[in-house]
Amino acid sequence: MTLQTQLVLRALLEEPAKERYGLELCELAGLPSGAMYPILARLEQLGWVDSAWEDPAVHEETGRPRRRFYRITEGGAGQARKALARSYRARKQPLPGWVADGGVP
């Protein structure tokens, strides 16, 4: 798993129930959109992430482009925690508490 994918998963796991739009995730993960959207597409194909477009009335009312919101699935959160734990172990670093406990940060 690439470091960029790990950053995206950690951003999604900060608040797993919260829907976040792509540029918000870019800011949280510290990644450009050109890296973020392919990762989100792969995670969605794996079933780890769900996405949905916002209601057109909302973006029309605010005068900005329509946003696509992403949320990690329950199964995806579990898989993400396991994958992140493996990556920490591979680097022989101590696991963060939220990975070791199966909780969220």
Side-chain angles (χ1 to χ4, degrees):
M1 175 183 306
T2 67
L3 178 58
Q4 291 178 326
T5 301
Q6 292 174 40
L7 292 170
V8 173
L9 290 173
R10 282 189 271 181
L12 289 165
L13 286 169
E14 280 186 18
E15 291 182 64
K18 184 175 182 176
E19 291 184 326
R20 298 188 183 269
Y21 60 95
L23 291 177
E24 180 183 16
L25 286 168
C26 288
E27 289 177 19
L28 286 171
L31 296 173
S33 60
M36 177 64 65
Y37 291 107
I39 292 169
L40 288 171
R42 284 194 305 274
L43 293 173
E44 192 166 12
Q45 286 176 343
L46 289 171
W48 290 21
V49 170
D50 284 331
S51 70
W53 287 102
E54 76 178 330
D55 184 338
V58 174
H59 82 92
E60 290 169 1
E61 192 175 287
T62 59
R64 60 166 168 71
R66 193 173 181 195
R67 292 177 175 163
R68 187 173 189 122
F69 286 92
Y70 299 87
R71 185 185 58 79
I72 195 161
T73 63
E74 189 175 319
Q79 292 295 333
R81 287 186 190 98
K82 289 176 189 174
L84 289 169
R86 282 192 304 271
S87 71
Y88 277 95
R89 285 188 195 105
R91 290 182 285 166
K92 299 185 192 278
Q93 293 181 348
L95 292 174
W98 60 272
V99 173
D101 297 339
V104 293

